[in-house]
Amino acid sequence: MTEATVPATFDIYRFDPGHDRVPRYQRFTLDLPPHTPILTALLKIRAELDPSLALRYSCRSAICGSCAMQVNSKSRLACETPIGPELARDGRIVIEPMRNQAVLRDLVVEQEPFWRNYDRIRPHLILDPRHPMPEGRENPMTTEEVERFKETPRCIACAACFSACPAVEADPAFPGPMALAKLYRFVVDPRDQGHQDRLLRIQTDGLWLCLRCHLCTEACPKDVRPSERIRDLKEMAIAVQGGTEHGSKHAVGFKENLRDRGLLNEMKLVRQTSGAVGVLEQLPQGIHIVRKKREVLRAPHRIEGMDEVEKIYEALDRPEEKP
Amino acid sequence: MKLAYYPGCVAQASGKELDLATRWVCRSLGIELVEFPKFSCCGSGFSDEANEVLTVALNVRNLALAEAAGLDLLTVCSTCTGMLTLANLRYQDPKVKARVDSALVPLGIRYRGTVKVKHLLRVLTEDIGVERVRAKVVRPLGGLKVGAFYGCHLLRPADELNWESAEEPHAFEDLLSAVGATPVYYRGRVMCCGFPIQFVKPETASLIAGRQIDDAKAHGADAMATPCPLCHISLDAYQNKAEKAVGHSLDLPVFHLPQVVGLALGASPEELGLGRHLVSTAPAVAKIGAGARARP
């Protein structure tokens, strides 16, 4: 049975940094069945209409992670994204390279920064000699141990998260969602001896630049949920080391702050996070804001039922309750 | 309709104008707000990084208060929405529930998990409906071009919030159209405002904020509007720092969601606390006047 075709308009990003001054968009229109994967359409365009189109792909089965690109501004694997819904919604399909990576040509980007960031987290098992390795066998884990990181091994390193991340876009000090999700995997692996050391290192190597915007979790085609694993890393890092960096001081300070009145005391939190020097640094901005919003100078009222709040802290905020 | 009003910390302090505008709009649309002086802070996505179970427990206490009164919860902050929704979900995990209950049950607090957490945007578009809002408009916004800025925790993770498409939401734009504004579609509308790292690395936070404001402007926005008071701090109160980070003037007014609705429903700028913004909203409000007069 042949499916009816629909006219599909593609606007494809074209750029050769060696020759072109600026990128351009080239339009192709062809008739295709709506279930056609975008990668199939692009290969057809390259085979039949313009052999100079550059793109990366390999397995065509959403396993290799090569064909990640922007489809109508969303991070997608081209091989598993059909054209139909995109055309139905936007009337055309705009194809662009991944963000946050330099374009080498057309849809092919420089992956070196992505992999360099991955290397930052030492992405290999540092075997713990205390975890016995049975003679002639692989190093076994219990089902419960494996459950702790069951999502992360699904990662295919397609860099969709890296492309979607606003922290990566704004600051090279942030290693990116995939690197941190992979770090989580090693931190909770019982065979790895780097647990504590890995957490100490990452505290000063970008962990606290995560915005927790969940754009990575939304972009990930394999539901690895990097933002949630980064949150877990933050809580584990605090359990090991307490509040040492601005980010962890802010988290710990916020938690302590609410114990006073049940609501946030903004002025006090600045002190808790940034210390006396930080307060001085914030002073000009504080004065700027106080002109219109005098309330920032006042502590909030004390909520009713603070005795309950205090009891909840007493029950759950003890050192032995840490993850 | 009747809802448990969860204003959150900012709307009770530096973002008082959000509280004013929310009350005005709800009064005007017949939404009864029930106050709970016992509500505590949601933790804002920070306290759980120090202790998640504690934060879930505090929020389950909030949810249980609403449940005891038989009410769903109205939020006016994207982050409060996200944190309270997350507490609802995490409490379904038996391990988490056991630990949370170990603290709450001795206090006589039991939560059955029946409370829905609903942001004002969702109540206006789902429960009231844009048509009913449209019918109440007395001063259409004259085609004022407004860039909606959703705030991360109202949309993502989408499978947890279980509402709009995280990548292509339209509730806010539908509402803007209903009150006579022209919604501006730009990539930044679903991006992050930078707020969470304002105290970790201010220059990075401000650069992120500046890029979203720039993006809205590049698409022709006369103003932005946000359902999140934390985004509002980043986009309005810290816009001067965002200007430094991007290296040029921005000067784009940023409304709170209920302020935009309130203006169209006939509230005065004073009633909506517009004088409390750091970036003046006067040029945008003047445009509404001119646009409204130009209508036949």
Side-chain angles (χ1 to χ4, degrees), chain B residues 88-134:
Chain B
N88 246 342
L89 290 169
R90 297 289 284 133
Y91 189 64
Q92 289 170 15
D93 176 339
K95 276 192 200 147
V96 175
K97 185 178 189 311
R99 291 182 65 196
V100 169
D101 283 348
S102 75
L104 296 190
V105 171
L107 302 172
I109 301 170
R110 285 170 204 278
Y111 180 52
R112 286 178 289 119
T114 60
V115 175
K116 287 197 192 86
V117 178
K118 289 193 155 189
H119 189 282
L120 179 63
L121 177 60
R122 190 163 181 177
V123 170
L124 294 183
T125 53
E126 247 178 35
D127 298 315
I128 303 293
V130 286
E131 289 316 316
R132 269 176 69 197
V133 176
R134 196 193 309 272

Short mmCIF file of all heavy atoms in Angstrom, two decimals, chain B residues 88-134:
data_model
loop_
_atom_site.label_atom_id
_atom_site.label_comp_id
_atom_site.label_asym_id
_atom_site.label_seq_id
_atom_site.Cartn_x
_atom_site.Cartn_y
_atom_site.Cartn_z
N ASN B 88 3.81 16.85 45.14
CA ASN B 88 2.68 15.95 44.89
C ASN B 88 3.16 14.63 44.28
O ASN B 88 2.72 13.56 44.67
CB ASN B 88 1.71 16.63 43.92
CG ASN B 88 0.37 16.94 44.57
OD1 ASN B 88 0.03 16.38 45.61
ND2 ASN B 88 -0.39 17.83 43.96
N LEU B 89 4.09 14.72 43.33
CA LEU B 89 4.59 13.53 42.64
C LEU B 89 5.54 12.72 43.50
O LEU B 89 5.45 11.50 43.57
CB LEU B 89 5.30 13.94 41.34
CG LEU B 89 4.38 14.48 40.23
CD1 LEU B 89 5.21 15.09 39.11
CD2 LEU B 89 3.50 13.37 39.69
N ARG B 90 6.48 13.41 44.14
CA ARG B 90 7.48 12.69 44.95
C ARG B 90 6.82 11.95 46.11
O ARG B 90 7.27 10.89 46.52
CB ARG B 90 8.55 13.66 45.48
CG ARG B 90 9.38 14.33 44.43
CD ARG B 90 10.35 13.39 43.72
NE ARG B 90 11.51 13.07 44.53
CZ ARG B 90 11.98 11.84 44.70
NH1 ARG B 90 11.37 10.82 44.12
NH2 ARG B 90 13.03 11.62 45.43
N TYR B 91 5.72 12.52 46.60
CA TYR B 91 5.01 11.91 47.74
C TYR B 91 4.37 10.58 47.34
O TYR B 91 4.02 9.77 48.19
CB TYR B 91 3.96 12.89 48.25
CG TYR B 91 3.30 12.49 49.56
CD1 TYR B 91 4.05 12.39 50.73
CD2 TYR B 91 1.93 12.23 49.62
CE1 TYR B 91 3.45 12.03 51.93
CE2 TYR B 91 1.32 11.87 50.82
CZ TYR B 91 2.09 11.78 51.97
OH TYR B 91 1.49 11.42 53.16
N GLN B 92 4.23 10.34 46.03
CA GLN B 92 3.67 9.05 45.58
C GLN B 92 4.70 7.92 45.67
O GLN B 92 4.34 6.76 45.60
CB GLN B 92 3.15 9.18 44.15
CG GLN B 92 1.89 10.02 44.04
CD GLN B 92 1.52 10.34 42.62
OE1 GLN B 92 2.02 9.73 41.68
NE2 GLN B 92 0.65 11.32 42.43
N ASP B 93 5.98 8.29 45.78
CA ASP B 93 7.04 7.29 45.93
C ASP B 93 6.99 6.76 47.38
O ASP B 93 7.15 7.52 48.33
CB ASP B 93 8.40 7.98 45.64
CG ASP B 93 9.59 7.05 45.86
OD1 ASP B 93 9.46 6.04 46.60
OD2 ASP B 93 10.66 7.35 45.31
N PRO B 94 6.74 5.45 47.54
CA PRO B 94 6.54 4.91 48.90
C PRO B 94 7.68 5.23 49.86
O PRO B 94 7.44 5.50 51.03
CB PRO B 94 6.43 3.40 48.66
CG PRO B 94 6.09 3.25 47.22
CD PRO B 94 6.64 4.43 46.50
N LYS B 95 8.93 5.22 49.35
CA LYS B 95 10.07 5.50 50.23
C LYS B 95 10.02 6.94 50.74
O LYS B 95 10.28 7.21 51.91
CB LYS B 95 11.38 5.28 49.47
CG LYS B 95 11.84 3.84 49.46
CD LYS B 95 13.29 3.77 48.95
CE LYS B 95 13.61 2.38 48.45
NZ LYS B 95 14.57 2.40 47.34
N VAL B 96 9.73 7.86 49.81
CA VAL B 96 9.65 9.28 50.19
C VAL B 96 8.47 9.48 51.13
O VAL B 96 8.58 10.16 52.16
CB VAL B 96 9.51 10.17 48.92
CG1 VAL B 96 9.30 11.63 49.31
CG2 VAL B 96 10.74 10.02 48.03
N LYS B 97 7.36 8.87 50.78
CA LYS B 97 6.14 9.03 51.59
C LYS B 97 6.39 8.58 53.03
O LYS B 97 5.98 9.26 53.98
CB LYS B 97 5.01 8.21 50.97
CG LYS B 97 3.66 8.39 51.65
CD LYS B 97 2.59 7.58 50.92
CE LYS B 97 1.18 7.87 51.40
NZ LYS B 97 0.96 7.86 52.82
N ALA B 98 7.10 7.45 53.18
CA ALA B 98 7.35 6.93 54.52
C ALA B 98 8.14 7.93 55.36
O ALA B 98 7.82 8.18 56.54
CB ALA B 98 8.10 5.60 54.43
N ARG B 99 9.14 8.54 54.74
CA ARG B 99 9.97 9.49 55.51
C ARG B 99 9.21 10.78 55.80
O ARG B 99 9.30 11.33 56.90
CB ARG B 99 11.27 9.77 54.75
CG ARG B 99 12.19 8.55 54.73
CD ARG B 99 13.49 8.83 54.03
NE ARG B 99 14.29 9.83 54.72
CZ ARG B 99 15.31 10.46 54.16
NH1 ARG B 99 15.64 10.21 52.91
NH2 ARG B 99 15.99 11.35 54.84
N VAL B 100 8.45 11.24 54.79
CA VAL B 100 7.67 12.46 54.99
C VAL B 100 6.63 12.23 56.08
O VAL B 100 6.47 13.04 57.00
CB VAL B 100 7.00 12.89 53.67
CG1 VAL B 100 5.96 13.99 53.90
CG2 VAL B 100 8.06 13.37 52.67
N ASP B 101 5.95 11.10 56.00
CA ASP B 101 4.91 10.80 57.00
C ASP B 101 5.49 10.65 58.40
O ASP B 101 4.83 10.97 59.39
CB ASP B 101 4.14 9.52 56.61
CG ASP B 101 3.14 9.79 55.49
OD1 ASP B 101 2.90 10.99 55.19
OD2 ASP B 101 2.61 8.83 54.91
N SER B 102 6.74 10.17 58.47
CA SER B 102 7.36 10.01 59.78
C SER B 102 7.46 11.37 60.50
O SER B 102 7.49 11.44 61.73
CB SER B 102 8.75 9.38 59.66
OG SER B 102 9.69 10.32 59.18
N ALA B 103 7.51 12.45 59.72
CA ALA B 103 7.54 13.78 60.32
C ALA B 103 6.15 14.38 60.46
O ALA B 103 5.87 15.09 61.42
CB ALA B 103 8.42 14.71 59.48
N LEU B 104 5.27 14.09 59.49
CA LEU B 104 3.97 14.78 59.47
C LEU B 104 2.91 14.10 60.33
O LEU B 104 2.12 14.79 60.98
CB LEU B 104 3.46 14.90 58.03
CG LEU B 104 4.29 15.76 57.07
CD1 LEU B 104 3.53 15.96 55.76
CD2 LEU B 104 4.64 17.11 57.66
N VAL B 105 2.90 12.79 60.33
CA VAL B 105 1.82 12.08 61.04
C VAL B 105 1.83 12.40 62.55
O VAL B 105 0.76 12.64 63.13
CB VAL B 105 1.87 10.56 60.74
CG1 VAL B 105 0.90 9.80 61.65
CG2 VAL B 105 1.53 10.31 59.28
N PRO B 106 3.01 12.44 63.20
CA PRO B 106 3.01 12.83 64.62
C PRO B 106 2.40 14.22 64.86
O PRO B 106 1.96 14.52 65.97
CB PRO B 106 4.49 12.82 65.00
CG PRO B 106 5.14 11.92 64.02
CD PRO B 106 4.37 12.07 62.75
N LEU B 107 2.38 15.06 63.83
CA LEU B 107 1.78 16.39 63.96
C LEU B 107 0.29 16.37 63.61
O LEU B 107 -0.36 17.41 63.56
CB LEU B 107 2.50 17.40 63.05
CG LEU B 107 4.01 17.56 63.25
CD1 LEU B 107 4.61 18.44 62.16
CD2 LEU B 107 4.27 18.17 64.63
N GLY B 108 -0.20 15.16 63.31
CA GLY B 108 -1.62 15.04 62.94
C GLY B 108 -1.89 15.46 61.50
O GLY B 108 -3.02 15.73 61.12
N ILE B 109 -0.83 15.54 60.67
CA ILE B 109 -1.00 15.95 59.28
C ILE B 109 -1.00 14.71 58.39
O ILE B 109 -0.02 13.96 58.36
CB ILE B 109 0.13 16.91 58.84
CG1 ILE B 109 0.14 18.16 59.72
CG2 ILE B 109 -0.04 17.29 57.37
CD1 ILE B 109 1.35 19.05 59.51
N ARG B 110 -2.12 14.49 57.72
CA ARG B 110 -2.21 13.39 56.76
C ARG B 110 -2.66 13.95 55.43
O ARG B 110 -3.59 14.75 55.38
CB ARG B 110 -3.22 12.34 57.24
CG ARG B 110 -2.67 11.49 58.36
CD ARG B 110 -3.77 10.64 58.98
NE ARG B 110 -3.43 10.29 60.35
CZ ARG B 110 -2.62 9.28 60.67
NH1 ARG B 110 -2.10 8.53 59.74
NH2 ARG B 110 -2.33 9.04 61.93
N TYR B 111 -2.00 13.53 54.35
CA TYR B 111 -2.33 14.05 53.02
C TYR B 111 -2.72 12.89 52.11
O TYR B 111 -2.00 11.91 51.99
CB TYR B 111 -1.12 14.81 52.46
CG TYR B 111 -1.36 15.38 51.07
CD1 TYR B 111 -2.48 16.18 50.80
CD2 TYR B 111 -0.47 15.13 50.03
CE1 TYR B 111 -2.69 16.70 49.53
CE2 TYR B 111 -0.67 15.65 48.76
CZ TYR B 111 -1.79 16.43 48.52
OH TYR B 111 -2.01 16.95 47.27
N ARG B 112 -3.89 13.02 51.49
CA ARG B 112 -4.37 11.95 50.62
C ARG B 112 -3.95 12.15 49.17
O ARG B 112 -4.20 11.32 48.31
CB ARG B 112 -5.90 11.85 50.73
CG ARG B 112 -6.37 11.21 52.05
CD ARG B 112 -7.89 11.16 52.14
NE ARG B 112 -8.45 12.49 52.34
CZ ARG B 112 -9.28 13.10 51.50
NH1 ARG B 112 -9.69 12.50 50.40
NH2 ARG B 112 -9.72 14.32 51.76
N GLY B 113 -3.37 13.30 48.86
CA GLY B 113 -2.86 13.53 47.50
C GLY B 113 -3.91 14.00 46.52
O GLY B 113 -3.81 13.76 45.32
N THR B 114 -4.93 14.71 47.01
CA THR B 114 -6.05 15.09 46.13
C THR B 114 -5.95 16.51 45.58
O THR B 114 -6.76 16.90 44.74
CB THR B 114 -7.39 14.98 46.88
OG1 THR B 114 -7.35 15.88 48.01
CG2 THR B 114 -7.64 13.56 47.37
N VAL B 115 -5.00 17.30 46.08
CA VAL B 115 -4.98 18.72 45.70
C VAL B 115 -4.29 18.94 44.36
O VAL B 115 -3.19 18.44 44.14
CB VAL B 115 -4.28 19.56 46.80
CG1 VAL B 115 -4.15 21.01 46.38
CG2 VAL B 115 -5.05 19.45 48.11
N LYS B 116 -4.97 19.66 43.48
CA LYS B 116 -4.34 20.05 42.22
C LYS B 116 -3.66 21.40 42.41
O LYS B 116 -4.23 22.31 43.02
CB LYS B 116 -5.39 20.19 41.11
CG LYS B 116 -5.93 18.87 40.62
CD LYS B 116 -6.61 19.08 39.25
CE LYS B 116 -7.42 17.86 38.86
NZ LYS B 116 -8.78 17.90 39.44
N VAL B 117 -2.45 21.51 41.88
CA VAL B 117 -1.72 22.77 41.94
C VAL B 117 -1.93 23.49 40.61
O VAL B 117 -1.57 22.97 39.56
CB VAL B 117 -0.21 22.53 42.17
CG1 VAL B 117 0.55 23.85 42.20
CG2 VAL B 117 0.00 21.75 43.46
N LYS B 118 -2.56 24.67 40.67
CA LYS B 118 -2.90 25.35 39.42
C LYS B 118 -2.38 26.78 39.42
O LYS B 118 -2.72 27.58 40.30
CB LYS B 118 -4.41 25.38 39.24
CG LYS B 118 -5.01 24.03 38.92
CD LYS B 118 -6.43 24.19 38.44
CE LYS B 118 -6.81 23.01 37.56
NZ LYS B 118 -8.10 23.25 36.91
N HIS B 119 -1.59 27.08 38.43
CA HIS B 119 -1.13 28.45 38.28
C HIS B 119 -2.28 29.30 37.74
O HIS B 119 -3.16 28.82 37.02
CB HIS B 119 0.06 28.50 37.31
CG HIS B 119 0.71 29.85 37.27
ND1 HIS B 119 0.20 30.91 36.58
CD2 HIS B 119 1.85 30.31 37.86
CE1 HIS B 119 0.98 31.96 36.75
NE2 HIS B 119 2.00 31.62 37.53
N LEU B 120 -2.23 30.58 38.07
CA LEU B 120 -3.27 31.52 37.60
C LEU B 120 -3.47 31.44 36.09
O LEU B 120 -4.61 31.53 35.60
CB LEU B 120 -2.87 32.96 38.02
CG LEU B 120 -3.82 34.08 37.60
CD1 LEU B 120 -5.19 33.93 38.25
CD2 LEU B 120 -3.22 35.45 37.97
N LEU B 121 -2.37 31.28 35.35
CA LEU B 121 -2.49 31.20 33.88
C LEU B 121 -3.37 30.02 33.47
O LEU B 121 -4.19 30.11 32.56
CB LEU B 121 -1.09 31.06 33.25
CG LEU B 121 -1.05 30.88 31.74
CD1 LEU B 121 -1.69 32.06 31.01
CD2 LEU B 121 0.39 30.70 31.25
N ARG B 122 -3.19 28.93 34.18
CA ARG B 122 -3.97 27.73 33.88
C ARG B 122 -5.44 27.92 34.28
O ARG B 122 -6.35 27.50 33.56
CB ARG B 122 -3.35 26.55 34.63
CG ARG B 122 -3.93 25.23 34.21
CD ARG B 122 -3.04 24.09 34.63
NE ARG B 122 -3.61 22.83 34.20
CZ ARG B 122 -3.05 21.65 34.37
NH1 ARG B 122 -1.87 21.57 34.94
NH2 ARG B 122 -3.62 20.55 33.95
N VAL B 123 -5.66 28.55 35.42
CA VAL B 123 -7.03 28.80 35.87
C VAL B 123 -7.75 29.72 34.87
O VAL B 123 -8.89 29.47 34.48
CB VAL B 123 -7.03 29.43 37.29
CG1 VAL B 123 -8.43 29.91 37.67
CG2 VAL B 123 -6.54 28.40 38.30
N LEU B 124 -7.05 30.76 34.43
CA LEU B 124 -7.68 31.71 33.50
C LEU B 124 -7.99 31.07 32.15
O LEU B 124 -9.01 31.38 31.53
CB LEU B 124 -6.80 32.95 33.30
CG LEU B 124 -6.59 33.85 34.52
CD1 LEU B 124 -5.76 35.08 34.16
CD2 LEU B 124 -7.92 34.30 35.12
N THR B 125 -7.08 30.21 31.68
CA THR B 125 -7.29 29.65 30.34
C THR B 125 -8.10 28.36 30.36
O THR B 125 -8.79 28.05 29.40
CB THR B 125 -5.94 29.38 29.64
OG1 THR B 125 -5.11 28.59 30.49
CG2 THR B 125 -5.23 30.69 29.32
N GLU B 126 -8.04 27.60 31.48
CA GLU B 126 -8.71 26.30 31.53
C GLU B 126 -10.05 26.37 32.26
O GLU B 126 -11.06 25.88 31.76
CB GLU B 126 -7.82 25.30 32.27
CG GLU B 126 -7.29 24.19 31.38
CD GLU B 126 -6.38 23.25 32.14
OE1 GLU B 126 -6.60 22.98 33.34
OE2 GLU B 126 -5.42 22.80 31.52
N ASP B 127 -10.05 26.97 33.45
CA ASP B 127 -11.26 26.95 34.28
C ASP B 127 -12.19 28.11 33.95
O ASP B 127 -13.39 27.93 33.80
CB ASP B 127 -10.87 26.97 35.77
CG ASP B 127 -10.05 25.75 36.14
OD1 ASP B 127 -10.43 24.64 35.73
OD2 ASP B 127 -9.01 25.89 36.80
N ILE B 128 -11.63 29.31 33.85
CA ILE B 128 -12.44 30.47 33.46
C ILE B 128 -12.64 30.41 31.94
O ILE B 128 -13.77 30.50 31.46
CB ILE B 128 -11.75 31.79 33.88
CG1 ILE B 128 -11.49 31.81 35.38
CG2 ILE B 128 -12.58 32.98 33.42
CD1 ILE B 128 -12.72 31.87 36.26
N GLY B 129 -11.56 30.25 31.22
CA GLY B 129 -11.61 30.17 29.75
C GLY B 129 -11.37 31.53 29.12
O GLY B 129 -11.87 32.54 29.61
N VAL B 130 -10.62 31.53 28.03
CA VAL B 130 -10.26 32.81 27.40
C VAL B 130 -11.50 33.56 26.90
O VAL B 130 -11.52 34.78 26.88
CB VAL B 130 -9.25 32.65 26.24
CG1 VAL B 130 -7.87 32.34 26.76
CG2 VAL B 130 -9.68 31.62 25.25
N GLU B 131 -12.54 32.84 26.54
CA GLU B 131 -13.73 33.53 26.02
C GLU B 131 -14.41 34.35 27.12
O GLU B 131 -14.87 35.46 26.88
CB GLU B 131 -14.72 32.52 25.40
CG GLU B 131 -14.24 31.94 24.08
CD GLU B 131 -13.64 32.99 23.13
OE1 GLU B 131 -14.21 34.09 22.98
OE2 GLU B 131 -12.56 32.71 22.55
N ARG B 132 -14.45 33.78 28.32
CA ARG B 132 -15.05 34.53 29.43
C ARG B 132 -14.19 35.73 29.81
O ARG B 132 -14.71 36.77 30.21
CB ARG B 132 -15.28 33.61 30.63
CG ARG B 132 -16.68 32.98 30.61
CD ARG B 132 -16.86 32.02 31.76
NE ARG B 132 -16.91 32.67 33.08
CZ ARG B 132 -16.73 32.02 34.23
NH1 ARG B 132 -16.49 30.73 34.21
NH2 ARG B 132 -16.79 32.65 35.38
N VAL B 133 -12.87 35.56 29.71
CA VAL B 133 -11.99 36.70 29.97
C VAL B 133 -12.23 37.76 28.90
O VAL B 133 -12.41 38.95 29.21
CB VAL B 133 -10.51 36.27 29.99
CG1 VAL B 133 -9.60 37.48 30.15
CG2 VAL B 133 -10.25 35.25 31.10
N ARG B 134 -12.30 37.32 27.66
CA ARG B 134 -12.51 38.25 26.54
C ARG B 134 -13.81 39.06 26.74
O ARG B 134 -13.84 40.27 26.50
CB ARG B 134 -12.58 37.47 25.22
CG ARG B 134 -12.42 38.33 23.97
CD ARG B 134 -12.83 37.56 22.69
NE ARG B 134 -12.20 36.27 22.57
CZ ARG B 134 -11.01 36.04 21.99
NH1 ARG B 134 -10.36 37.05 21.46
NH2 ARG B 134 -10.52 34.83 21.93
#
